[in-house]
Amino acid sequence: MKAMILAAGRGKRMGNLTQTCPKPLLKVKGRCLLDWHLSKLSAAGFKDVVINVSYLSKQIIEFVGDGLIWGLNIAVSEEAEALETAGGIKKAIKYLGDDPFLVINADIFSNYDYKNLIIRSLDKRCMGYLVLVKNPEHNLKGDFGLLDDATLTMNSDRLLTFSGIAIYDPKFFSKLIVGSKIKLSPILEIAINKNCIKGELFEGVWSDIGTPERLNMINIDE
């Protein structure tokens, strides 16, 4: 299985921290976010990783190089203007191939073991598999419900938060136009309403590094 790390975002909510440093290179517990992800992917047995870049892209490209430091083959998908999540994945499809692939938001920190996903297969009707977490304070309403058969639903009294870790079948993006700016949420909601998305609840360490306050919190939380 190949993997993609979404690293093209501007990170405006981080304020001065991302004026001269792209968000994926911000440090958590002494190492930058991107380093954490690449090390974990390598340890889990992944070999081929795609990273999409846009804002301050040169710094990210220089940091990852060819990936040999992590024992990985890294391809970079450059976007002149950030294409949002679905648009960025569609542009990178040429690197990801015809089989289901893992996608990770660069701006999360967790101890989720990616080995759990490298061996997972999607059944014929399943277009994606999302890792969900309990709702953090900044998203108390949640995003999706999880049924007993692991199918996701939009209609539930107990919604959970999407962690930013998922597997997708490339066919999920087949109708999108390469180079278009497309958000993931609307097409994900359509697929969930068709019972085409499954998932799991992860209850380990997880944080969305979306603000300076959250970055500070995870750095002082030992």
Side-chain angles (χ1 to χ4, degrees), residues 10-25:
R10 170 68 175 79
K12 289 182 179 179
R13 290 179 299 169
M14 299 304 292
N16 292 333
L17 293 177
T18 52
Q19 286 295 316
T20 58
C21 176
K23 194 175 180 182
L25 296 187

Side-chain angles (χ1 to χ4, degrees), residues 14 17 27-28 209 211-219:
M14 299 304 292
L17 293 177
K27 289 189 175 181
V28 172
I209 313 297
T211 64
E213 292 74 23
R214 282 183 236 156
L215 178 61
N216 290 335
M217 189 176 298
I218 197 72
N219 274 328

Side-chain angles (χ1 to χ4, degrees), residues 24-92:
L25 296 187
L26 292 178
K27 289 189 175 181
V28 172
K29 300 185 184 298
R31 294 165 60 187
C32 70
L33 286 163
L34 200 49
D35 185 22
W36 281 110
H37 291 305
L38 293 172
S39 297
K40 288 175 60 183
L41 287 169
S42 180
F46 286 84
K47 295 298 181 186
D48 298 300
V49 177
V50 181
I51 303 174
N52 72 327
V53 297
S54 182
Y55 177 68
L56 297 178
S57 58
K58 185 177 179 181
Q59 290 186 42
I60 296 176
I61 292 170
E62 290 179 350
F63 177 79
V64 300
D66 55 12
L68 287 181
I69 294 175
W70 299 275
L72 297 168
N73 302 311
I74 293 180
V76 174
S77 178
E78 294 191 65
E79 301 168 16
E81 177 186 5
L83 299 175
E84 300 284 0
T85 301
I89 295 173
K90 179 64 177 181
K91 188 175 188 298

